[in-house]
Amino acid sequence: MASMNISLPDPMRDYVQGRIDDGHYASVSDYVRALIRQDQSGIEDEKRWLGELDASIAESLAEMSADGGIDLDRACDAALAEIGTTGGPSRR
């Protein structure tokens, strides 16, 4: 296993030592490894979310290109017209 040296300001060093003393981590190395795993997991979650978003956008664009879906302006106009006929607020 490789070693790395890092420098921390005293308050950060004290914080890490406190986490170890409280039993949350076995050592400074354990603490740093946990932070790296958390960062890696967050990056993977973000990549997965962005991939799903891209796929959803592509699907929506394909549907709209095939004359599917609903035009937002028409949908809003219809909803506002319906609200206006039931005594709700109108768009004027």
Side-chain angles (χ1 to χ4, degrees):
M1 190 177 310
S3 294
M4 295 179 79
N5 294 318
I6 61 168
S7 298
L8 296 174
D10 289 342
M12 290 180 119
R13 184 202 63 214
D14 295 343
Y15 176 80
V16 171
Q17 190 60 52
R19 298 290 285 163
I20 294 165
D21 293 345
D22 290 343
H24 295 282
Y25 299 94
S27 66
V28 173
S29 293
D30 185 41
Y31 181 80
V32 172
R33 283 190 296 267
L35 289 177
I36 293 169
R37 282 191 294 273
Q38 182 181 7
D39 185 49
Q40 287 173 324
S41 176
I43 289 170
E44 290 304 314
D45 289 346
E46 183 177 329
K47 285 180 183 178
R48 186 173 25 262
W49 180 82
L50 288 172
E52 291 170 1
L53 179 61
D54 286 345
S56 176
I57 290 169
E59 182 181 333
S60 295
L61 290 173
E63 182 180 334
M64 293 302 289
S65 294
D67 292 329
I70 299 170
D71 181 85
L72 183 58
D73 287 332
R74 285 189 295 212
C76 288
D77 288 343
L80 290 171
E82 185 175 325
I83 291 170
T85 61
T86 60
S90 62
R91 194 169 102 171
R92 291 180 198 193

